[in-house]
């Protein structure tokens, strides 16, 4: 079923002021002003890789402090198969389609990282979404792609998914395009533009897309092996694409300080050519921007997290910043250092000189807070999500089932948690909200892991402006 | 043509689960046979890329692997035939007796360690 109710011949209107017909908000500022406080979250929840005989599921979490079921998982959308490893997901439409009359932000596209199966969930009823369609792995493999990762809607109602491997779980990866009836349209790019793939973000007004690199699925799926680092099997490059043509225009090798560049974000302002990427293994954050004179992109390391000594570890423990996001007003960069156990915020008013604003030491290997409401935290902060107004930061604790097992084996036994900090954007401070705790350790079939978080009406890691 | 069947015994180390023996056809995988028998084994990709389904060979055709000098009397590659290449396993894993149950079919009676814990043996925390 299509979410486009009537065909629209309307030309994209870049001014948007008088022409906001579709889903989302006309500008990032409108999202801040018109967006309501998040009352629900959708959270990827998983059993893959455990002996629990149950499929992964999508949790609907109640975030309304006035509700009787605040901090509870109020609905679970169970998927038909085991073995998916739900990871990242996205909407069929976001603010980039706000000129598309009749298009609704209604369907969640939920891929299985391990299975390569793609689920389409109808979330018209925000509290009780329903599974609508399933694209089976064999259909995906026909395009010689596997391991779906980042889902973005693209402005004409279509959906683009970064795919990390070929049908066999080897390189190269690529991009799979779905049409607005949620059928595979084909490959988005001419095959062979890139080898490794991971996350991507696009800035349509600048006709640019940026993509990052993890590794071949067969490399990262079983777990993290230093041998693979030495063999050069992990990524360290950023690719800058011609968005219209679907071709790579420029590749930047970040070098050893840029190993495993994961989440990549442009600023929300559609004119901006500045962005950030977190190099997880090297524990650095890079700023990238387009050089006005040459028209080429540049990248520079702007934040460096030092490894820390720990009595129980043989070698200094890297921070492992695994997720970053930019507040809707483009003022702050938030991130999570999964191994150290830290969430942090930097003021990026001057993107080339981020200034540390605040951090919280919670969970992980060094966190000062190791339990909330007597619930032991078994891993560090990982996937983060911020309210549209920038006043509440939420996070979950699972990275990837096989990597969790290596670094935080207790997480599989106790399950993940979701935590929250209250943020004061004026002062640039964060405070852990100890009244807030969502516990995946209490799921009926057994403890589950929790990964990416989305709000029903747009969020800081999925909305893009045309 | 009737294909041959082999008895495959599944054991869950460190878990309170009963050992089960299932008959596996030479043209089906251990994972498929387990599913047919209503036994849940972990899996992910089902294409040999992710290692989620990893089992470890304990005994094949009555011969137990001996740990002496890392020499094993059980030939894993002789005990199983793979439908496609087992990409998730490195050479060191294969010689240590690990098997990807989503793509492996037995060629002899055998005993396997199975369950999520086996997969976690493949890689350890490199900093610890
Ligand atoms: S299920 Fe992925 S290798 Fe067997």
């Amino acid at each position: 079923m299509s979410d486009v109710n009537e065909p629209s011949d309307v030309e994209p209107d870049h001014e948007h002021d008088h022409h906001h017909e579709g889903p989302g908000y006309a500008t990032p500022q409108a999202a801040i002003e018109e967006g309501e406080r998040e009352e629900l979250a959708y959270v990827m929840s998983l059993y893959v890789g455990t002996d629990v005989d149950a499929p992964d599921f999508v949790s609907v979490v109640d975030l309304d402090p006035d509700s009787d079921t605040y901090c509870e998982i109020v609905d679970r959308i169970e998927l038909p198969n085991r073995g998916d490893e739900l990871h990242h997901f996205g909407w069929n439409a976001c603010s980039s389609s706000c000129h598309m009359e009749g298009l609704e932000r209604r369907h969640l596209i939920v891929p299985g990282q391990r299975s390569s199966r793609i689920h389409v969930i109808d979330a018209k009823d925000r509290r009780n979404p329903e599974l609508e369609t399933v694209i089976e792995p064999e259909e995906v493999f026909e395009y010689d792609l596997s391991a779906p990762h980042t889902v973005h809607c693209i402005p004409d109602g279509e959906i683009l998914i970064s795919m990390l491997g070929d049908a066999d779980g080897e390189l190269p990866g690529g991009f799979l395009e779905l049409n607005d009836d949620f059928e595979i349209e084909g490959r988005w790019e001419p095959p062979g533009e890139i080898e490794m793939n991971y996350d991507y973000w696009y800035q349509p007004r600048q006709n640019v897309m940026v993509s990052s690199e993890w590794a071949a699925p067969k490399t990262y799926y079983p777990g993290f092996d230093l041998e693979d680092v030495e063999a050069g099997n992990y990524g360290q490059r950023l690719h800058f694409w011609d968005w219209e043509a679907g071709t790579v225009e420029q590749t930047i090798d970040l070098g050893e300080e840029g190993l495993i560049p994961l989440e990549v974000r442009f600023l929300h302002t559609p004119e901006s050519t500045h962005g950030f990427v977190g190099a997880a293994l090297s524990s650095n954050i890079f700023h990238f921007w387009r050089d006005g004179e040459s028209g080429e992109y540049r990248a520079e390391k702007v934040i460096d997290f030092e490894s820390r000594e720990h009595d129980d570890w043989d070698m200094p423990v890297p921070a492992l910043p695994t997720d970053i996001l930019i507040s809707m007003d483009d003022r702050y960069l938030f991130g999570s250092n999964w191994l150290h156990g830290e969430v942090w915020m930097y003021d990026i008013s001057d993107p080339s000189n981020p200034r540390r604003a605040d951090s919280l030491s919670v969970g992980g290997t060094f966190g000062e807070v190791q339990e909330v409401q007597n619930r032991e935290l078994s891993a560090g902060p990982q996937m983060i999500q911020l309210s549209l107004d920038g006043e509440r930061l939420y996070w979950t604790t699972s990275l990837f089932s096989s990597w969790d097992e290596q670094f935080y084996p207790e997480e599989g036994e106790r399950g993940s948690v979701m935590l929250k900090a209250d943020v004061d954007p004026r002062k640039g401070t964060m405070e852990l909200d100890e009244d807030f705790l969502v516990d995946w350790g209490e799921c009926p079939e057994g403890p589950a892991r929790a990964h990416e978080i989305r709000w029903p009406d747009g969020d800081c890691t999925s909305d893009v402006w045309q | 043509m009737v294909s041959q069947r082999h008895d495959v015994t599944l054991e869950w180390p460190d878990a309170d689960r009963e050992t089960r023996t299932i008959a596996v056809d030479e043209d089906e995988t251990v994972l498929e046979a387990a599913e047919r028998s209503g036994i849940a084994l972990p899996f992910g990709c089902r294409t040999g890329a992710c290692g989620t389904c990893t089992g470890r060979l304990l005994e094949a055709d009555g011969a137990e692997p001996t740990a002496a000098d890392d020499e094993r009397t059980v030939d894993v590659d002789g005990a199983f035939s793979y439908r496609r290449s087992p990409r998730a396993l490195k050479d060191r894993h294969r010689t240590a007796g690990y098997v990807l149950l989503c793509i492996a079919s037995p060629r002899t009676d055998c005993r396997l360690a199975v369950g999520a814990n086996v997969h976690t043996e493949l890689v350890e925390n490199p900093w610890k």
Side-chain angles (χ1 to χ4, degrees):
Chain A
M1 200 206 76
S2 170
D3 288 341
V4 186
N5 300 327
E6 303 149 31
S8 168
D9 296 318
V10 181
E11 279 291 302
D13 175 1
H14 287 173
E15 295 307 316
H16 274 108
D17 298 345
H18 314 288
H19 206 89
H20 175 207
E21 308 277 356
Y25 306 94
T27 61
Q29 188 57 33
I32 297 168
E33 288 168 14
E34 295 162 21
E36 293 184 1
R37 185 189 164 119
E38 64 291 346
E39 292 187 344
L40 290 178
Y42 299 125
V43 184
M44 298 285 91
S45 309
L46 51 146
Y47 283 121
V48 71
T50 69
D51 286 324
V52 175
D53 187 13
D56 296 350
F57 56 97
V58 180
S59 293
V60 182
V61 176
D62 187 338
L63 298 182
D64 176 4
D66 296 329
S67 159
D68 294 342
T69 49
Y70 182 49
C71 291
E72 286 176 26
I73 298 171
V74 289
D75 191 33
R76 304 194 310 155
I77 305 118
E78 296 228 11
L79 301 180
N81 297 84
R82 293 166 57 223
D84 284 315
E85 182 124 25
L86 301 189
H87 194 63
H88 287 222
F89 64 129
W91 286 101
N92 66 301
C94 78
S95 296
S96 73
S97 305
C98 79
H99 56 281
M100 289 281 287
E101 204 174 338
L103 193 68
E104 289 177 80
R105 193 193 319 250
R106 167 165 172 179
H107 285 94
L108 286 168
I109 316 300
V110 181
Q113 228 300 311
R114 274 176 208 265
S115 64
S116 301
R117 185 176 288 109
I118 300 169
H119 310 87
V120 180
I121 289 173
D122 183 351
K124 185 171 181 64
D125 178 348
R126 295 307 205 204
R127 282 190 163 254
N128 297 291
E130 279 177 17
L131 180 65
E132 184 173 300
T133 317
V134 178
I135 300 174
E136 292 297 337
E138 294 70 30
E139 299 172 58
V140 173
F141 298 154
E142 274 181 40
Y143 296 86
D144 202 18
L145 291 169
S146 69
H149 193 273
T150 301
V151 177
H152 279 296
C153 47
I154 52 181
D156 50 8
E158 310 224 313
I159 293 140
L160 190 61
I161 308 176
S162 63
M163 308 290 293
L164 276 49
D166 70 7
D168 293 321
E170 307 212 42
L171 299 175
F175 290 87
L176 189 73
E177 188 174 347
L178 309 184
N179 64 24
D180 54 18
D181 286 320
F182 312 120
E183 297 153 347
I184 298 180
E185 183 91 355
R187 283 186 82 127
W188 174 76
E189 87 292 14
E193 287 292 302
I194 48 168
E195 284 286 307
M196 289 182 202
N197 203 1
Y198 180 69
D199 191 31
Y200 77 100
W201 193 285
Y202 61 102
Q203 203 64 315
R205 208 176 291 188
Q206 300 290 349
N207 192 34
V208 65
M209 175 173 107
V210 56
S211 69
S212 59
E213 297 191 333
W214 192 2
K218 68 162 187 188
T219 302
Y220 67 77
Y221 273 156
F224 175 72
D225 188 347
L226 269 186
E227 222 176 68
D228 287 314
V229 178
E230 284 148 23
N233 293 340
Y234 278 102
Q236 58 182 52
R237 287 171 201 84
L238 285 185
H239 305 280
F240 292 88
W241 299 67
D242 180 320
W243 172 242
E244 293 279 324
T247 51
V248 173
E249 295 294 298
Q250 192 191 338
T251 292
I252 298 181
D253 189 332
L254 302 172
E256 287 215 342
E257 301 212 288
L259 266 170
I260 317 192
L262 293 178
E263 264 55 35
V264 61
R265 323 280 186 202
F266 269 114
L267 296 194
H268 297 284
T269 308
E271 292 85 9
S272 179
T273 58
H274 291 267
F276 293 88
V277 63
L281 187 59
S282 308
S283 297
N284 294 318
I285 309 296
F286 281 76
H287 165 227
F288 57 84
W289 72 98
R290 189 171 64 207
D291 179 72
E293 273 172 34
S294 66
E296 298 228 310
Y297 274 85
R298 307 258 179 267
E300 189 177 61
K301 182 184 79 171
V302 286
I303 304 174
D304 187 340
F305 296 105
E306 296 284 326
S307 298
R308 289 165 71 173
E309 300 280 350
H310 191 287
D311 287 349
D312 300 340
W313 291 52
D314 299 336
M315 285 193 287
V317 186
L320 219 78
T322 43
D323 193 17
I324 58 167
L325 66 74
I326 295 172
S327 61
M328 204 49 102
D329 62 3
D330 290 338
R331 168 107 190 262
Y332 292 107
L333 179 73
F334 290 85
S336 57
N337 290 354
W338 189 59
L339 276 186
H340 282 185
E342 198 173 61
V343 282
W344 45 260
M345 67 189 282
Y346 276 73
D347 186 326
I348 50 164
S349 308
D350 172 4
S352 34
N353 291 298
R355 187 186 58 78
R356 186 178 170 283
D358 202 3
S359 63
L360 283 178
S361 178
V362 52
T365 313
F366 298 90
E368 282 157 19
V369 178
Q370 284 293 348
E371 55 174 55
V372 172
Q373 298 175 25
N374 298 322
R375 160 59 149 107
E376 266 181 78
L377 309 175
S378 24
Q382 215 283 113
M383 291 313 292
I384 55 176
Q385 189 56 268
L386 183 70
S387 61
L388 293 174
D389 63 8
E391 296 188 7
R392 290 165 303 281
L393 182 77
Y394 301 79
W395 64 91
T396 55
T397 51
S398 164
L399 174 60
F400 192 62
S401 63
S402 43
W403 293 41
D404 290 355
E405 284 293 327
Q406 274 178 282
F407 296 105
Y408 293 114
E410 312 81 31
E411 171 136 70
E413 290 150 32
R414 294 206 199 103
S416 293
V417 293
M418 181 170 168
L419 298 175
K420 162 179 174 269
D422 291 310
V423 182
D424 185 334
R426 284 154 294 279
K427 296 198 187 117
T429 55
M430 284 189 288
E431 194 183 343
L432 184 67
D433 175 1
E434 302 226 22
D435 294 331
F436 185 95
L437 171 75
V438 187
D439 192 349
W440 271 258
E442 292 165 0
C443 293
E445 287 88 1
R449 301 176 200 277
H451 195 67
E452 200 179 35
I453 307 166
R454 294 224 170 284
W455 314 139
D457 295 301
D459 50 55
C460 298
T461 59
S462 62
D463 267 41
V464 168
W465 276 269
Q466 173 87 297
Chain B
M1 201 180 82
V2 182
S3 79
Q4 253 197 291
R5 293 192 147 197
H6 301 285
D7 282 342
V8 176
T9 302
L10 309 174
E11 298 183 15
W12 285 262
D14 325 314
D16 290 337
R17 281 180 67 173
E18 239 178 90
T19 295
R20 297 279 303 265
T21 299
I22 53 172
V24 186
D25 277 354
E26 283 205 339
D27 60 4
E28 72 181 339
T29 65
V30 177
L31 181 63
E32 285 164 354
E35 284 174 336
R36 183 169 51 70
S37 317
I39 298 169
L41 294 181
F43 65 88
C45 69
R46 304 186 78 115
T47 65
C50 76
T52 315
C53 64
T54 302
R56 185 160 41 82
L57 186 62
L58 300 171
E59 182 183 343
D61 227 0
E64 286 196 35
T66 54
D69 301 316
D70 276 346
E71 284 293 315
R72 287 172 188 269
T73 56
V74 176
D75 170 16
V76 191
D77 294 333
F80 288 93
S81 132
Y82 276 123
R83 267 188 195 172
R84 46 201 305 189
S85 152
R87 295 171 182 81
L89 296 181
K90 300 195 164 127
D91 288 346
R92 68 171 200 263
H93 299 134
R94 290 185 70 166
T95 47
Y98 292 101
V99 190
L100 297 180
L101 303 181
C102 70
I103 51 168
S105 304
R107 290 292 169 266
T108 177
D109 291 355
C110 60
R111 225 155 42 83
L112 284 168
V114 297
N117 290 329
V118 181
H119 173 219
T120 63
E121 295 168 8
L122 289 184
V123 277
E124 47 192 32
N125 183 339
W127 283 279
K128 231 171 166 167

